[in-house]
Structures are given as C-alpha cells and as structure tokens.
Coordinates of all heavy atoms in Angstrom, one line a residue:
E189 N 43.4 -48.2 1.2 CA 44.0 -47.0 0.6 C 44.6 -47.3 -0.8 O 45.0 -46.4 -1.5 CB 45.1 -46.4 1.5 CG 46.3 -47.3 1.7 CD 46.2 -48.2 2.9 OE1 45.1 -48.5 3.3 OE2 47.3 -48.5 3.4
S190 N 44.6 -48.6 -1.2 CA 45.0 -48.9 -2.5 C 43.9 -48.7 -3.5 O 44.1 -48.6 -4.7 CB 45.5 -50.4 -2.6 OG 44.4 -51.3 -2.5
I191 N 42.7 -48.4 -3.0 CA 41.5 -48.2 -3.8 C 40.9 -46.8 -3.6 O 40.5 -46.2 -4.6 CB 40.4 -49.3 -3.5 CG1 41.0 -50.7 -3.8 CG2 39.2 -49.0 -4.4 CD1 40.1 -51.8 -3.4
V192 N 41.0 -46.3 -2.4 CA 40.4 -45.0 -2.1 C 41.5 -44.2 -1.5 O 42.2 -44.6 -0.6 CB 39.3 -45.1 -1.0 CG1 38.7 -43.7 -0.8 CG2 38.2 -46.1 -1.5
S193 N 41.7 -43.0 -2.0 CA 42.8 -42.1 -1.5 C 42.5 -41.7 0.0 O 41.4 -41.2 0.2 CB 42.9 -40.9 -2.3 OG 43.9 -40.0 -1.8
T194 N 43.4 -41.9 0.9 CA 43.3 -41.4 2.2 C 44.3 -40.3 2.6 O 44.4 -40.0 3.7 CB 43.5 -42.6 3.2 OG1 44.8 -43.1 3.0 CG2 42.4 -43.7 3.0
S195 N 44.9 -39.8 1.6 CA 45.9 -38.7 1.8 C 45.2 -37.4 2.3 O 44.3 -36.9 1.6 CB 46.7 -38.4 0.5 OG 47.4 -39.5 0.1
P196 N 45.5 -37.0 3.5 CA 44.8 -35.8 4.0 C 45.2 -34.5 3.4 O 46.3 -34.4 2.9 CB 45.1 -35.9 5.5 CG 46.4 -36.6 5.6 CD 46.4 -37.6 4.4
S197 N 44.3 -33.5 3.5 CA 44.7 -32.2 3.0 C 45.7 -31.5 4.0 O 45.8 -32.0 5.2 CB 43.4 -31.3 3.0 OG 42.9 -31.1 4.3
L198 N 46.4 -30.5 3.6 CA 47.4 -29.9 4.4 C 46.8 -29.3 5.7 O 47.4 -29.4 6.8 CB 48.2 -28.8 3.6 CG 49.3 -28.1 4.3 CD1 50.3 -29.0 4.8 CD2 49.9 -27.0 3.4
P199 N 45.7 -28.5 5.6 CA 45.1 -28.0 6.8 C 44.7 -29.1 7.8 O 44.9 -28.9 9.0 CB 43.8 -27.3 6.3 CG 44.1 -26.9 4.9 CD 45.0 -28.1 4.4
F200 N 44.2 -30.3 7.3 CA 43.9 -31.4 8.2 C 45.1 -31.9 8.9 O 45.1 -32.2 10.1 CB 43.2 -32.5 7.4 CG 42.7 -33.6 8.3 CD1 41.4 -33.6 8.8 CD2 43.5 -34.7 8.6 CE1 40.9 -34.6 9.6 CE2 43.0 -35.7 9.4 CZ 41.7 -35.7 9.9
V201 N 46.2 -32.0 8.1 CA 47.5 -32.5 8.7 C 48.0 -31.6 9.8 O 48.3 -32.0 10.9 CB 48.6 -32.6 7.6 CG1 49.9 -32.9 8.2 CG2 48.2 -33.7 6.6
I202 N 47.9 -30.3 9.5 CA 48.4 -29.3 10.5 C 47.5 -29.4 11.8 O 48.1 -29.4 12.9 CB 48.4 -27.9 9.9 CG1 49.4 -27.8 8.8 CG2 48.7 -26.8 11.0 CD1 49.4 -26.5 8.0
R203 N 46.2 -29.4 11.6 CA 45.3 -29.4 12.8 C 45.6 -30.7 13.6 O 45.6 -30.6 14.9 CB 43.9 -29.4 12.3 CG 43.4 -28.0 11.8 CD 41.8 -28.0 11.8 NE 41.3 -29.1 11.1 CZ 41.0 -29.1 9.8 NH1 41.3 -28.0 9.1 NH2 40.4 -30.2 9.2
T204 N 45.7 -31.8 12.9 CA 45.8 -33.1 13.6 C 47.2 -33.1 14.4 O 47.2 -33.6 15.5 CB 45.7 -34.2 12.7 OG1 44.4 -34.1 12.0 CG2 45.7 -35.6 13.4
L205 N 48.2 -32.7 13.7 CA 49.6 -32.8 14.3 C 49.6 -31.8 15.5 O 50.2 -32.2 16.6 CB 50.6 -32.4 13.3 CG 50.9 -33.5 12.2 CD1 51.9 -33.0 11.2 CD2 51.3 -34.8 12.8
L206 N 49.0 -30.7 15.4 CA 49.0 -29.7 16.6 C 48.2 -30.3 17.8 O 48.6 -30.2 18.9 CB 48.4 -28.4 16.2 CG 49.3 -27.4 15.4 CD1 48.5 -26.2 14.9 CD2 50.4 -27.0 16.3
A207 N 47.1 -31.0 17.4 CA 46.3 -31.6 18.5 C 47.0 -32.7 19.2 O 46.9 -32.9 20.4 CB 44.9 -32.1 17.9
E208 N 47.8 -33.5 18.4 CA 48.5 -34.7 18.9 C 49.8 -34.3 19.6 O 50.1 -34.8 20.7 CB 48.7 -35.7 17.8 CG 49.4 -37.0 18.2 CD 48.4 -37.9 19.0 OE1 47.2 -37.7 18.8 OE2 48.9 -38.7 19.8
F209 N 50.6 -33.4 19.0 CA 51.9 -33.2 19.5 C 52.2 -31.7 19.9 O 53.3 -31.4 20.4 CB 52.9 -33.6 18.4 CG 52.8 -35.0 18.0 CD1 52.3 -35.3 16.7 CD2 53.1 -36.1 18.8 CE1 52.2 -36.6 16.3 CE2 53.0 -37.4 18.4 CZ 52.5 -37.7 17.1
G210 N 51.2 -30.8 19.7 CA 51.4 -29.4 19.9 C 51.3 -29.0 21.4 O 51.1 -29.9 22.3
P211 N 51.3 -27.7 21.7 CA 51.2 -27.2 23.1 C 49.8 -27.6 23.6 O 48.9 -27.7 22.9 CB 51.4 -25.7 22.9 CG 51.0 -25.4 21.5 CD 51.4 -26.6 20.7
K212 N 49.8 -27.6 25.0 CA 48.5 -28.0 25.7 C 48.0 -26.8 26.4 O 47.6 -26.9 27.6 CB 48.7 -29.2 26.6 CG 49.4 -30.4 25.9 CD 48.5 -30.9 24.7 CE 49.2 -32.1 24.0 NZ 48.5 -32.5 22.8
W213 N 47.9 -25.6 25.8 CA 47.4 -24.5 26.4 C 46.5 -23.7 25.4 O 46.6 -23.9 24.2 CB 48.5 -23.6 27.0 CG 49.7 -23.4 26.0 CD1 50.9 -24.1 26.1 CD2 49.8 -22.5 24.9 NE1 51.7 -23.7 25.0 CE2 51.1 -22.7 24.3 CE3 48.9 -21.6 24.3 CZ2 51.5 -22.1 23.2 CZ3 49.4 -20.9 23.2 CH2 50.6 -21.1 22.7
G214 N 45.8 -22.7 25.9 CA 44.9 -21.9 25.1 C 44.0 -22.7 24.2 O 43.4 -23.7 24.6
P215 N 44.0 -22.4 22.9 CA 43.1 -23.1 22.0 C 43.5 -24.6 21.7 O 42.8 -25.4 21.2 CB 43.2 -22.3 20.7 CG 44.5 -21.6 20.8 CD 44.7 -21.3 22.2
F216 N 44.8 -24.9 22.2 CA 45.3 -26.3 22.0 C 45.1 -27.1 23.2 O 45.5 -28.3 23.3 CB 46.8 -26.2 21.7 CG 47.1 -25.3 20.5 CD1 47.8 -24.1 20.7 CD2 46.8 -25.7 19.2 CE1 48.1 -23.3 19.6 CE2 47.1 -24.9 18.2 CZ 47.7 -23.7 18.4
K217 N 44.4 -26.6 24.2 CA 44.1 -27.3 25.4 C 43.3 -28.6 25.1 O 42.4 -28.5 24.3 CB 43.3 -26.4 26.4 CG 43.2 -27.0 27.8 CD 42.4 -26.1 28.7 CE 43.1 -24.8 29.0 NZ 42.4 -24.0 30.0
P218 N 43.6 -29.7 25.7 CA 42.9 -31.0 25.4 C 41.4 -30.8 25.6 O 40.9 -30.0 26.4 CB 43.4 -32.0 26.5 CG 44.8 -31.4 26.8 CD 44.7 -29.9 26.7
S219 N 40.6 -31.5 24.7 CA 39.2 -31.4 24.7 C 38.6 -31.8 26.0 O 37.5 -31.3 26.4 CB 38.6 -32.2 23.6 OG 38.9 -33.5 23.7
T220 N 39.2 -32.6 26.8 CA 38.7 -32.9 28.2 C 38.6 -31.7 29.0 O 37.7 -31.6 29.8 CB 39.6 -33.9 28.9 OG1 41.0 -33.5 28.7 CG2 39.5 -35.3 28.3
E221 N 39.5 -30.7 28.9 CA 39.4 -29.5 29.6 C 38.5 -28.5 29.0 O 37.8 -27.7 29.7 CB 40.8 -29.0 29.8 CG 41.7 -29.9 30.6 CD 43.1 -29.4 30.7 OE1 43.3 -28.1 30.9 OE2 44.1 -30.1 30.7
R222 N 38.5 -28.4 27.7 CA 37.7 -27.4 27.0 C 36.2 -27.7 27.1 O 35.4 -26.9 27.3 CB 38.0 -27.3 25.5 CG 39.4 -26.8 25.2 CD 39.5 -26.4 23.7 NE 38.9 -27.3 22.8 CZ 39.6 -28.3 22.2 NH1 40.8 -28.5 22.5 NH2 39.0 -29.1 21.4
D223 N 35.9 -29.0 27.0 CA 34.5 -29.4 26.8 C 33.9 -30.2 28.0 O 32.8 -30.6 28.0 CB 34.3 -30.3 25.6 CG 34.8 -29.5 24.3 OD1 34.2 -28.5 24.0 OD2 35.7 -30.0 23.7
G224 N 34.6 -30.3 29.1 CA 34.1 -30.9 30.3 C 33.8 -32.4 30.1 O 32.9 -32.9 30.7

C-alpha cells in the first residue's frame, strides 16, 4: 500500500461494514443462507 493505493471507496466501506458487523436479516442475511 506504500506503492498502490488500497483506500476503498465510501460505498465499498459501507457495504463491507454492513456485511461484517450489520444485522443478519433480510438483504443482510449471511450468504450461506441466501445462496445455499
């Protein structure tokens, strides 16, 4: 990261944080349950 920027975009940050720490229902349900 001292040579290539790895700073994520704001939408990516929000999506990732919701997937990792957000609610586990509806569209946020873990992919194990959504995709079998």
Side-chain angles (χ1 to χ4, degrees):
E189 68 267 24
S190 70
I191 300 173
V192 184
S193 174
T194 60
S195 296
S197 64
L198 181 59
F200 186 91
V201 171
I202 294 172
R203 287 198 307 271
T204 304
L205 291 178
L206 280 173
E208 184 71 23
F209 304 110
K212 305 304 179 185
W213 42 262
F216 306 109
K217 190 179 293 185
S219 60
T220 46
E221 298 178 35
R222 292 199 314 270
D223 303 298

